[in-house]
Amino acid sequence: MINLVIGGAGFVGVNLSDMLMANGETVVCIDNFSRFGSGLIDRFLSHDYFSYYELDCTDEQGLNTVFKNFSDHRDEVLVWHLAANSDIPAGIDNLKIDVKDTFLSTAVILNCMKQVGFKKIFFASSSAVYGDHGGVALRENSGPLNPISNYGAMKLASEAMLSACTESFLELALVFRFPNVVGVPATHGVIYDFINRLRENGSVLEVLGDGSQRKVYLHVSDLIDALIHLRKLGRVGFEVFNIGPSDDGVTVQAIAEEVCSVFGGNPVIKYGSDRKGWVGDVPRFRYDVRKIGSVGWQSSRNSREAIELAASEICQSMV
Ligand SMILES: NC(=O)c1ccc[n+]([C@@H]2O[C@H](COP(=O)([O-])OP(=O)(O)OC[C@H]3O[C@@H](n4cnc5c(N)ncnc54)[C@H](O)[C@@H]3O)[C@@H](O)[C@H]2O)c1
């Protein structure tokens, strides 16, 4: 199997690449290195199964040229589309960011796949497509889908385009709606943010929002396990899966306390007064994971265990 991992130099991409290469599969990373440089893939550079292209995937001509290198093996190609803007507040300040990196990326990838004859794509979508429903458990095929960030809106638009392309030229489009994913190498997210703040000032941790936000968290090792499990099922057509633990989540207050305890030094935790951390933040979120359960997968860790493990991993890797 030839895995074209677009956005492969980010947090999920390197964890996925690790697992694929451990299975003896070829990984081709395509990334513009815009967010974190190429540092996270350094350790793969001498690996026989790994190669990479520095490319913005919205550059249609460039992407077509890369794809054509694999056109003789088109039936063995699986495209993993992981590229997106992962700075949600930045995309709210400037909607062009999500239009380009979260949506146009999808449109250009699909157009190039069509031209070269690639027929299988796995897409990293997000719980952000649902919007704010006050913590009601949401199913894949139930609405309303009312995103409250441009990031969520452009993920939803991407899903719609994948569905339409499955009607014409795609054989397989699996859409995975991830919740908050935690682990190393962390590139963003609440634990990463808290540890960065504590590194600047170890005596006080200022928290965005009142700490009552409650969401589900998935450890990245469980996410990769779910992706590999779903790939093995050999589905066809367009399908959407929520991936996550089945619990009702962990509060931001509990995460702040866990991070402070792992970081040490007994910092004072100061909370804001808003129920949301920022504009576009979904303060209570959980979803229904019965569909992925029905095909034989469940998370090995609940949200609390995922947070505890990731806090210790991220702290060790950053301090
Ligand atoms: N990590 C999470 O908690 C989470 C939750 C829900 C969904 N997701 C989705 O999963 C995917 C992977 O997330 P991640 O945490 O690894 O994000 P990340 O930001 O660590 O990695 C994304 C990678 O995509 C690259 N990229 C962005 N725009 C690009 C472009 N136009 N051309 C080429 N490369 C580009 C970036 O340089 C980066 O290396 C993303 O699509 C994200 O939206 C992640």
Side-chain angles (χ1 to χ4, degrees), residues 11-12 31-32 56-57 82 86 101 125 151 155 179 181 187-188:
F11 164 51
V12 173
D31 200 297
N32 62 3
D56 192 307
C57 66
L82 309 180
S86 50
D101 288 334
S125 188
Y151 167 80
K155 285 286 187 193
V181 185
T187 54
H188 54 97

Side-chain angles (χ1 to χ4, degrees), residues 59-177:
D59 166 1
E60 182 157 353
Q61 208 181 354
L63 193 64
N64 241 322
T65 305
V66 172
F67 277 10
K68 278 183 186 151
N69 293 334
F70 302 93
S71 59
D72 288 348
H73 304 277
R74 53 173 65 82
D75 294 335
E76 293 160 54
V77 168
L78 172 60
V79 174
W80 299 80
H81 176 15
L82 309 180
N85 162 45
S86 50
D87 186 344
I88 298 176
I92 285 168
D93 284 348
N94 177 2
L95 59 78
K96 288 182 181 167
I97 294 175
D98 277 303
V99 169
K100 175 183 170 287
D101 288 334
T102 311
F103 176 67
L104 189 60
S105 59
T106 311
V108 172
I109 289 168
L110 287 169
N111 206 26
C112 292
M113 287 180 70
K114 184 176 183 190
Q115 290 171 51
V116 179
F118 298 159
K119 294 194 163 65
K120 294 178 189 151
I121 183 167
F122 283 6
F123 176 62
S125 188
S126 164
S127 55
V129 298
Y130 290 108
D132 184 0
H133 298 281
V136 173
L138 296 156
R139 297 200 80 160
E140 289 87 346
N141 55 1
S142 71
L145 293 161
N146 289 338
I148 59 167
S149 61
N150 293 320
Y151 167 80
M154 294 299 99
K155 285 286 187 193
L156 185 56
S158 293
E159 290 190 9
M161 187 167 264
L162 283 155
S163 169
C165 289
T166 312
E167 179 68 16
S168 56
F169 71 95
L170 289 176
E171 267 171 20
L172 173 68
L174 283 197
V175 170
F176 310 110
R177 291 185 183 151

Side-chain angles (χ1 to χ4, degrees), residues 2-313:
I2 300 170
N3 298 280
L4 304 186
V5 185
I6 305 176
F11 164 51
V12 173
V14 296
N15 279 283
L16 174 67
S17 300
D18 247 340
M19 174 60 82
L20 294 170
M21 289 190 288
N23 281 345
E25 298 180 34
T26 300
V27 169
V28 180
C29 166
I30 300 167
D31 200 297
N32 62 3
F33 303 141
S34 60
R35 295 266 297 140
F36 322 104
S38 59
L40 300 186
I41 59 165
D42 278 353
R43 66 200 166 95
F44 298 147
L45 296 182
S46 59
H47 203 297
D48 288 344
Y49 299 145
F50 185 80
S51 58
Y52 77 92
Y53 294 86
E54 180 174 356
L55 179 77
D56 192 307
C57 66
T58 63
D59 166 1
E60 182 157 353
Q61 208 181 354
L63 193 64
N64 241 322
T65 305
V66 172
F67 277 10
K68 278 183 186 151
N69 293 334
F70 302 93
S71 59
D72 288 348
H73 304 277
R74 53 173 65 82
D75 294 335
E76 293 160 54
V77 168
L78 172 60
V79 174
W80 299 80
H81 176 15
L82 309 180
N85 162 45
S86 50
D87 186 344
I88 298 176
I92 285 168
D93 284 348
N94 177 2
L95 59 78
K96 288 182 181 167
I97 294 175
D98 277 303
V99 169
K100 175 183 170 287
D101 288 334
T102 311
F103 176 67
L104 189 60
S105 59
T106 311
V108 172
I109 289 168
L110 287 169
N111 206 26
C112 292
M113 287 180 70
K114 184 176 183 190
Q115 290 171 51
V116 179
F118 298 159
K119 294 194 163 65
K120 294 178 189 151
I121 183 167
F122 283 6
F123 176 62
S125 188
S126 164
S127 55
V129 298
Y130 290 108
D132 184 0
H133 298 281
V136 173
L138 296 156
R139 297 200 80 160
E140 289 87 346
N141 55 1
S142 71
L145 293 161
N146 289 338
I148 59 167
S149 61
N150 293 320
Y151 167 80
M154 294 299 99
K155 285 286 187 193
L156 185 56
S158 293
E159 290 190 9
M161 187 167 264
L162 283 155
S163 169
C165 289
T166 312
E167 179 68 16
S168 56
F169 71 95
L170 289 176
E171 267 171 20
L172 173 68
L174 283 197
V175 170
F176 310 110
R177 291 185 183 151
F178 305 170
N180 293 286
V181 185
V182 292
V184 284
T187 54
H188 54 97
V190 60
I191 302 175
Y192 176 80
D193 184 41
F194 283 171
I195 294 175
N196 266 330
R197 284 166 187 248
L198 287 170
R199 285 168 80 198
E200 275 169 29
N201 178 358
S203 57
V204 181
L205 175 61
E206 293 204 5
V207 174
L208 299 175
D210 63 8
S212 68
Q213 307 100 298
R214 178 183 283 274
K215 308 176 197 187
V216 286
Y217 293 86
L218 179 68
H219 192 267
V220 67
S221 56
D222 275 316
L223 172 70
I224 304 304
D225 188 55
L227 298 179
I228 300 294
H229 180 86
L230 290 168
R231 192 181 63 161
K232 277 190 204 138
L233 298 177
R235 318 285 276 205
V236 287
F238 175 82
E239 267 203 271
V240 180
F241 286 93
N242 290 338
I243 304 181
S246 57
D247 55 82
D248 66 354
V250 174
T251 61
V252 167
Q253 178 179 350
I255 298 171
E257 287 167 2
E258 179 66 26
V259 169
C260 288
S261 137
V262 172
F263 190 85
N266 213 13
V268 174
I269 306 176
K270 283 194 181 162
Y271 294 98
S273 53
D274 292 340
R275 94 182 229 284
K276 291 186 179 193
W278 64 88
V279 177
D281 182 26
V282 177
R284 288 184 72 83
F285 177 73
R286 63 193 277 249
Y287 50 27
D288 189 320
V289 289
R290 276 179 289 174
K291 181 172 178 187
I292 194 166
S294 74
V295 296
W297 186 85
Q298 64 178 32
S299 177
S300 74
R301 291 184 181 81
N302 62 28
S303 296
R304 154 73 62 182
E305 290 163 342
I307 287 293
E308 285 170 1
L309 176 57
S312 126
E313 289 172 333

